[in-house]
Structure formats: C-alpha cells, structure tokens
Amino acid sequence: FLLRMTVTILNSSNVAVRTLTAEASAARNPGDPNSLTKTLAVGWNGKNGSGQSVPYCLYTYQVVGQLIQVHEKKDHEKHEHEKKEKKHAEKVLATSAVLSGTVLVDGTGPAISNLTPLDGSATTQKRPVLSASFADAGSGVDAASAVVLLDG
C-alpha cells in the first residue's frame, strides 16, 4: 500500500498558490490488520509553485490523505507510451475528509523598545537590570523563544 498526503495552500482569494505532496509505503499492522499507521510531513517555505515568495497575509491549508493500492505492471501490460514512465498502476482505495486550517506568513520582525541599559551604552554595575519590550502586530511574539545576547 501507499499512503499519500496532499497539502494545498490557498491565498485569501481561495486560489491555490502551492501544492505539496508526501508519500510513504505502508504495511498492515500485525497487531491490528485493519489499520495502517504512518507519519507523513511536508514543509512550506512561503513560496508559490514558481519559487517566488508569497505576499505576507493569512493563508488556508487543506490536507487530504489517500490510501492507494499499488500494482506493479509487467512489461506486456504496459501501453507503448508507458514503457518509459510508470512502472506501476495505482488504485485509490480511500480518501480522507479534508482537514483545513490557517497559517500567517509574516515577514515583519517584532519591534524591540524600552531597552535597559540603552543600546551601545556601558555600565559599571555588577548586577545590571536587563529589560526590553517586544511587540509584533503580525504573528505575535513567543516570549519563551526570546534570546538575549551579551557582547562581553
């Protein structure tokens, strides 16, 4: 069997800007012959099908999974135009419901303000207080991922 996942990225006009596909072979689970389990993943780099960066905005993704039975074709079963192409035939046995969600493409970095001590300043305090304010009007700031680097 073959499991195929197709992810379609749609812009705000509901037009597909990119389609991503992942496939993996799968065998029946010996403990439960009625189930197949496989993890498939795709990553989107924020580019359309032509390799151009998409505009910053909210996009919808739609995910569909398929269970496919693969039958290897013997040479005598192939049509002439298939001899150099597919070496197998596919039969879709099942298609999942469409799962969807949204993702924000945000290319504007967060604003950092209220630095203490001021940027470029020096201090003689043995235990200076370090602070800053972060704000982002787009996707927000994950405070747990903020990193402070000191230059010595």
Side-chain angles (χ1 to χ4, degrees):
F1 294 101
L2 180 70
L3 296 175
R4 179 178 295 145
M5 176 180 67
T6 303
V7 179
T8 305
I9 311 292
L10 306 162
N11 65 16
S12 58
S13 299
N14 216 28
V15 174
V17 295
R18 183 87 184 263
T19 301
L20 307 163
T21 303
E23 295 181 343
S25 59
R28 292 190 188 275
N29 181 345
D32 183 2
N34 293 323
S35 72
L36 295 169
T37 303
K38 198 72 167 181
T39 300
L40 299 173
V42 296
W44 181 42
N45 59 4
K47 296 187 177 184
N48 63 22
S50 300
Q52 300 167 322
S53 294
V54 298
Y56 304 141
C57 72
L58 194 62
Y59 291 84
T60 301
Y61 60 86
Q62 296 179 335
V63 182
V64 175
Q66 291 181 313
L67 174 62
I68 299 167
Q69 184 176 35
V70 178
H71 168 69
E72 297 297 324
K73 287 186 176 181
K74 297 180 176 82
D75 279 338
H76 69 275
E77 294 177 313
K78 296 178 188 173
H79 296 290
E80 193 58 39
H81 68 279
E82 293 179 313
K83 298 248 178 181
K84 295 179 184 174
E85 297 174 7
K86 285 186 180 181
K87 295 181 179 174
H88 63 271
E90 297 180 355
K91 179 181 180 185
V92 177
L93 300 177
T95 300
S96 73
V98 176
L99 303 174
S100 63
T102 57
V103 61
L104 176 64
V105 175
D106 176 12
T108 305
I112 303 171
S113 61
N114 304 323
L115 292 172
T116 303
L118 295 174
D119 189 24
S121 67
T123 182
T124 58
Q125 295 178 353
K126 292 185 186 242
R127 298 185 133 189
V129 174
L130 305 175
S131 67
S133 298
F134 301 89
D136 188 357
S139 58
V141 175
D142 178 7
S145 69
V147 176
V148 176
L149 301 175
L150 302 174
D151 62 358

